[in-house]
């Protein structure tokens, strides 16, 4: 019997992002200054479920009140700030994958997201399309168009 490894995702508000495109632009502008050129999000709390996250987990971004995209989590790096406090650098794949929209109430920090509760990726045909209005995107998801 093959052992199935557990996977867990994270969900995080993308504060200041107006769209998936603006998140991409923000990350791109900061990547050039990083040694490995990979985008990252630095957070105060180190996830206790690190092994499950690094087993194929992604960070799902909440933009304007809905999950709209995700990025694969590559690794967690220790980051020591100028204040001497240890933080967690969530290092991400540079590819942003658009997902069907899932409404999410505001929250602080990040939360775990079970794979069964994660919104589906949009099909390759819909990955490059302009961001649709919320009601239209939600309606498409409701009828199974991804």
């Amino acid at each position: 019997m093959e052992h199935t490894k557990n996977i867990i995702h994270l969900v995080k508000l993308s504060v200041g992002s107006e769209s998936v495109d603006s998140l991409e632009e923000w990350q791109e502008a900061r990547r050039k200054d990083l040694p490995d050129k990979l985008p990252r999000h630095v957070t105060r709390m180190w996830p206790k479920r690190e092994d499950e996250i690094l087993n194929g987990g992604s960070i799902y971004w909440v933009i304007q009140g809905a999950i709209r995209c995700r990025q694969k989590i590559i690794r967690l790096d220790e980051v020591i700030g100028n204040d001497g406090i240890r933080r967690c650098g969530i290092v991400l794949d540079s590819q942003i994958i658009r997902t069907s929209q899932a409404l999410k109430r505001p929250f602080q920090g990040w939360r775990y997201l079970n794979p069964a509760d994660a919104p589906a990726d949009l099909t390759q045909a819909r990955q490059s399309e302009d961001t649709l209005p919320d009601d239209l995107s939600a309606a498409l998801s409701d009828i199974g168009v991804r």
Side-chain angles (χ1 to χ4, degrees):
M1 181 174 161
E2 186 177 318
H3 177 63
T4 304
K5 294 183 180 179
N6 292 331
I7 296 173
I8 195 77
H9 302 297
L10 298 179
V11 61
K12 172 83 178 91
L13 297 179
S14 182
V15 178
S17 294
E18 309 251 336
S19 65
V20 175
D21 293 337
S22 69
L23 173 63
E24 288 175 324
E25 291 165 8
W26 187 87
Q27 287 185 357
E28 188 62 35
R30 282 147 189 82
R31 280 181 8 168
K32 65 182 182 293
D33 298 326
L34 299 169
D36 59 7
K37 308 294 188 235
L38 292 172
R40 64 201 65 225
H41 174 74
V42 178
T43 182
R44 290 183 306 157
M45 301 302 294
W46 197 282
K48 289 180 176 42
R49 298 173 74 178
E50 178 176 0
D51 289 344
E52 292 169 88
I53 291 168
L54 297 178
N55 193 39
S58 291
I59 190 165
Y60 283 76
W61 292 109
V62 176
I63 300 171
Q64 300 291 308
I67 295 175
R68 297 177 191 266
C69 62
R70 71 177 180 89
Q71 286 175 280
K72 185 175 186 310
I73 298 172
I74 295 175
R75 66 178 189 269
L76 304 178
D77 286 352
E78 181 178 66
V79 176
I80 306 295
N82 293 336
D83 55 7
I85 295 175
R86 177 182 184 251
R87 292 179 172 83
C88 179
I90 303 169
V91 181
L92 307 169
D93 188 291
S94 58
Q95 180 185 20
I96 294 178
I97 301 165
R98 292 173 191 258
T99 65
S100 58
Q101 290 189 29
L103 296 178
K104 205 75 172 157
R105 292 178 184 249
F107 58 91
Q108 294 211 349
W110 50 263
R111 300 283 184 268
Y112 291 114
L113 179 65
N114 288 315
D117 299 327
D121 294 350
L122 294 181
T123 59
Q124 190 61 37
R126 291 193 60 201
Q127 284 293 322
S128 61
E129 70 186 22
D130 292 334
T131 303
L132 296 174
D134 291 346
D135 56 345
L136 179 56
S137 182
L140 289 172
S141 292
D142 286 346
I143 63 169
V145 177
R146 293 183 168 35

